[in-house]
Amino acid sequence: MCGIIGFAKKGDSTSLSCVEILKQGLKRLEYRGYDSAGIAALTKNGMVVVKDVGTVDKLFSYPEIQSIEANVAIGHTRWATHGRPSKINAHPHTDCEKGIAIAHNGIIENYIDLKRFLSTEGHVFSSETDSEVIAHLIEHFKKAGMKPFEAFKKAVSMLRGSYAIVAIDSSEPDKIFFARNVSPLLIGIGEEVKFVSSDLTAFIKYAKRVIVLKDGEVGYISPESVHIESIDGIAIDISSRISSIDASIQDVDKGEYPHYMLKEIMEQPYALAQTFSSLQTQDLSDILRELENARRIYIVAAGTSYHASLLGAISFKRFLGIEAEALISSEFRVVSRAVKWGDVVIGVSQSGETIDTLLALREAREKGAKTIAIVNNQFSTIARESDYVIPMRAGPEIAVAATKTFTSQALTMLYIVAKLAERASIIDVDAKAMMQGIKMSYEIAENILNTTQDIAKAIARKLVDKQSAYYLGRVFGVPIAMEGALKLKEIAYIHAEAYPAGESKHGPIALVEKDFPVVFVYIGFLDEHIEGNIEEMKAREAWIATIAPENMVHGSVARYSDTIIKMPRAPLETRLITYIIPLQLIAYYTAVAKGLDPDKPRNLAKTVTVI
Ligand code: F6R
């Protein structure tokens, strides 16, 4: 979950500043972890390492970093796993002689054995991390007479666990060595500079071509070349592996917005339009056939992607009468014995790297099921390993809290459902109208963004001092309520619980007293009984905010809601995709009102590559 960047540039490329490349790259990787940051550069005076706890901005305010000039350097932004966030535990880590520096993302499972062995060989460790063993192992094999790359490969072959590693060595100062197993790593190819990084957003400004490394691959970059081989030494022809990057620097810049999260919320009309037109150009016929013939459909995902999957599963059942089950990917074992040949498992993931989702899909494949990936990152491991891929093309999502990818995931799943409905000619489902409703989502999203800002801010002012809130809905409203509650929890640090509104009187209502905030999501389809739930909450003097279609604001909704977010008249499918938007805004403005940085929620990282 850490972020890595390394670059090797030509000596005469005066337009490329080492400090700028590292700073911009690390800032774009900060979403992967921001406990601490560090860099190591090979300067004409040898290896320079600067690292500390805190943000990338803090690191780059140090005078010793600003004067660094180097053509080869690595950087790291950390999300702590082994060893608390501290200066000594920050990466890069060096060997005893400080001639080798490494940065690592992942977990080295056998580090205790390796550390013990290296200590008996006289190596002295400076950190509590699992990663530091890598630098000392390389040193160990070099001392045994190996050349730097051979020593690097030998060291990598001894590691167990997950890793993306970059290493620099002052005895071979024009190269960055790299290795990948499980944790993502990409090579960026520019004219004057080559990169190795966890994410293409770190180098998109300078490189427009990319190679996605596979597990078990090692190699090196130099300013002129990229070399990749398998860990057992078989050279790999890279020509067929190079892809063009279709995102631009604007896609990863905050622009005029104070936070990435707000930018991405506001971008939703565009992201939805992109996803819709991308789906229209994809040949989904094989995927639709697999789904039609599936013995059973499972949808696996985590966090926000799981909430979108719940919406998808309800849509399969409700519109098509097809049994589909959404599962939290880390809980896949609950059903894994039941998964068989003939089943289809859909993995939904923004990053395409979430380890729990990846492992669930791997297990499903082993059992003979077909796998379909719905991902935003088309260069991801989940995309590469699945039988079929549906890229959403919502554009890079940088803020830790997922927003535009939730609406794009919802649109994608409803699109598949509409396509299946079209092929099956289901009597009571008008597939054409359904598709029209899906298509309308981007216009309506725009309208919602224009009309709900002030009311979202007012609700945020109400929530700012609260400890707890309920988010309630029925049927399709439940996953939307769950997603709204997750947003409030993760960025505004307010305990928010979502559950089906009908469950209130089976326990949760016991917590409700005067002014307890309850947010109702009223979709206006299969959820008319929510009126009774609103009354029950009001009878306990709860403070009620209700999201409701403007043409359905009557009865208890009108009478007992303290505030109503009136949503524009729109078809059901549009409502399912867009009703999350005011909830995203409420969470965002609450975090801002509390003086928190919504882009950097504590303890969280955007890409979760540890189990
Ligand atoms: C919440 C959030 C996380 C992710 C989850 C899955 O705002 O961002 O809950 O949704 O970690 O990530 P992906 O979709 O990349 O698999």
Side-chain angles (χ1 to χ4, degrees):
M1 333 219 319
C2 308
I4 291 177
I5 181 170
F7 73 84
K9 69 181 175 75
K10 290 185 183 163
D12 51 5
S13 50
T14 46
S15 57
L16 301 172
S17 141
C18 163
V19 175
E20 265 316 294
I21 298 177
L22 285 175
K23 185 176 175 186
Q24 287 176 13
L26 285 177
K27 279 194 72 67
R28 299 207 194 292
L29 291 170
E30 235 180 349
Y31 74 90
R32 301 178 68 90
Y34 30 83
D35 294 338
S36 46
I39 61 118
L42 289 169
T43 70
K44 62 178 186 316
N45 301 319
M47 179 82 74
V48 175
V49 179
V50 187
K51 56 187 189 172
D52 207 347
V53 279
T55 63
V56 171
D57 276 336
K58 180 180 164 206
L59 184 79
F60 280 83
S61 69
Y62 296 163
E64 66 263 40
I65 224 171
Q66 277 152 17
S67 55
I68 291 178
E69 278 181 24
N71 294 323
V72 170
I74 58 175
H76 186 270
T77 169
R78 180 166 187 248
W79 189 87
T81 54
H82 289 66
R84 74 210 138 85
S86 70
K87 185 168 177 165
I88 52 160
N89 289 338
H91 296 221
H93 293 288
T94 54
D95 65 329
C96 299
E97 307 280 324
K98 310 227 171 325
I100 298 163
I102 68 98
H104 165 230
N105 170 26
I107 292 178
I108 307 300
E109 286 161 9
N110 57 338
Y111 84 100
I112 293 178
D113 292 343
L114 293 171
K115 200 166 175 174
R116 200 174 295 132
F117 161 72
L118 288 161
S119 299
T120 58
E121 294 284 306
H123 290 260
V124 178
F125 288 82
S126 329
S127 77
E128 300 152 334
T129 66
D130 53 339
S131 312
E132 194 187 346
V133 294
I134 302 166
H136 292 275
L137 266 182
I138 301 170
E139 182 182 33
H140 171 78
F141 290 117
K142 273 182 71 185
K143 279 198 176 140
M146 290 185 183
K147 294 216 166 84
F149 185 47
E150 296 311 311
F152 175 78
K153 283 194 289 182
K154 183 70 186 161
V156 169
S157 72
M158 312 233 1
L159 306 176
R160 304 279 162 269
S162 58
Y163 49 79
I165 302 166
V166 289
I168 51 176
D169 186 328
S170 46
S171 63
E172 217 154 304
D174 66 332
K175 293 195 177 73
I176 298 180
F177 306 119
F178 58 78
R180 180 211 165 143
N181 187 45
V182 184
S183 307
L185 204 57
L186 312 173
I187 305 295
I189 305 174
E191 285 309 313
E192 295 180 84
V193 57
K194 308 286 177 285
F195 289 90
V196 53
S197 179
S198 321
D199 192 329
L200 57 81
T201 55
F203 56 71
I204 204 168
K205 182 167 176 194
Y206 307 101
K208 287 284 171 251
R209 290 180 303 152
V210 64
I211 298 172
V212 182
L213 292 171
K214 295 183 183 167
D215 287 350
E217 289 183 339
V218 294
Y220 55 81
I221 55 166
S222 71
E224 287 82 22
S225 65
V226 176
H227 172 80
I228 306 178
E229 57 185 71
S230 65
I231 190 75
D232 34 20
I234 300 164
I236 288 161
D237 172 18
I238 61 164
S239 53
S240 60
R241 296 268 300 273
I242 301 176
S243 310
S244 302
I245 302 171
D246 59 8
S248 72
I249 188 70
Q250 282 75 29
D251 293 331
V252 295
D253 256 358
K254 259 198 311 229
E256 82 238 34
Y257 291 100
H259 299 105
Y260 278 111
M261 185 178 176
L262 184 60
K263 174 183 182 244
E264 288 157 9
I265 291 173
M266 298 306 287
E267 246 162 33
Q268 288 179 105
Y270 176 70
L272 287 168
Q274 287 284 102
T275 303
F276 188 81
S277 59
S278 154
L279 286 166
Q280 281 187 308
T281 59
Q282 293 173 43
D283 178 5
L284 298 176
S285 48
D286 288 344
I287 293 176
L288 297 174
R289 202 171 315 112
E290 293 285 1
L291 289 167
E292 278 163 346
N293 297 331
R295 196 185 71 105
R296 205 180 159 88
I297 298 168
Y298 297 98
I299 313 178
V300 294
T304 290
S305 300
Y306 169 66
H307 299 150
S309 303
L310 281 170
L311 206 55
I314 300 172
S315 305
F316 270 93
K317 290 186 266 214
R318 187 64 220 180
F319 297 128
L320 303 172
I322 295 180
E323 187 48 48
E325 189 178 351
L327 284 159
I328 292 175
S329 48
S330 57
E331 290 291 302
F332 188 64
R333 285 182 178 173
V334 170
V335 298
S336 58
R337 265 192 89 178
V339 174
K340 293 189 175 57
W341 189 89
D343 292 342
V344 173
V345 180
I346 305 175
V348 181
S349 174
Q350 185 287 127
S351 61
E353 300 292 350
T354 299
I355 191 80
D356 295 325
T357 307
L358 177 63
L359 294 180
L361 288 167
R362 278 188 187 158
E363 194 173 345
R365 273 191 102 184
E366 273 165 24
K367 297 263 161 64
K370 288 281 184 214
T371 54
I372 301 170
I374 298 180
V375 287
N376 198 35
N377 177 1
Q378 65 189 103
F379 300 116
S380 59
T381 314
I382 288 177
R384 217 186 45 242
E385 290 194 9
S386 297
D387 294 308
Y388 304 96
V389 185
I390 305 179
M392 298 194 308
R393 304 208 163 93
E397 188 176 67
I398 311 285
V400 169
T403 52
K404 65 175 178 175
T405 52
F406 175 83
T407 45
S408 281
Q409 286 165 342
L411 183 145
T412 303
M413 279 183 274
L414 282 162
Y415 187 97
I416 294 169
V417 168
K419 280 279 173 201
L420 287 168
E422 192 180 288
R423 287 158 68 108
S425 314
I426 299 168
I427 289 200
D428 60 344
V429 177
D430 182 346
K432 225 169 160 182
M434 206 171 169
M435 198 56 95
Q436 210 41 43
I438 295 165
K439 192 171 175 199
M440 266 182 82
S441 62
Y442 35 99
E443 273 167 47
I444 297 290
E446 180 109 55
N447 181 330
I448 294 169
L449 284 165
N450 288 335
T451 55
T452 59
Q453 298 283 340
D454 289 343
I455 193 157
K457 284 181 195 163
I459 295 173
R461 283 195 292 276
K462 188 81 194 170
L463 291 177
V464 82
D465 303 319
K466 301 289 181 195
Q467 304 287 324
S468 241
Y470 281 153
Y471 280 63
L472 308 182
R474 280 172 172 261
V475 192
F476 286 102
V478 176
I480 297 169
M482 288 169 81
E483 176 57 10
L486 177 64
K487 291 287 91 89
L488 191 73
K489 245 185 296 212
E490 66 183 337
I491 61 162
Y493 312 153
I494 293 174
H495 170 248
E497 199 180 327
Y499 58 88
E503 276 290 287
S504 291
K505 44 198 173 299
H506 301 286
I509 203 165
L511 284 185
V512 176
E513 53 190 4
K514 189 171 165 37
D515 250 8
F516 186 99
V518 184
V519 179
F520 280 96
V521 180
Y522 178 39
I523 300 285
F525 181 68
L526 305 177
D527 56 353
E528 65 285 2
H529 296 308
I530 216 163
E531 290 204 37
N533 306 127
I534 293 176
E535 270 184 55
E536 288 152 17
M537 287 297 173
K538 197 70 223 170
R540 273 92 196 160
E541 297 187 77
W543 181 84
I544 295 172
T546 306
I547 295 176
E550 63 182 6
N551 51 322
M552 297 186 201
V553 177
H554 37 61
S556 301
V557 174
R559 220 171 6 257
Y560 299 120
S561 301
D562 294 280
T563 185
I564 302 172
I565 306 184
K566 292 188 184 150
M567 302 294 270
R569 208 177 262 266
L572 173 62
E573 299 73 24
T574 316
R575 284 178 265 156
L576 300 183
I577 297 167
T578 57
Y579 270 35
I580 188 61
I581 294 174
L583 299 182
Q584 296 167 340
L585 288 170
I586 290 169
Y588 173 78
Y589 288 120
T590 309
V592 171
K594 288 181 81 167
L596 301 168
D597 180 350
D599 284 347
K600 294 198 187 80
R602 69 182 173 215
N603 305 335
L604 297 179
K606 184 137 187 90
T607 311
V608 183
T609 51
V610 291
I611 297 173

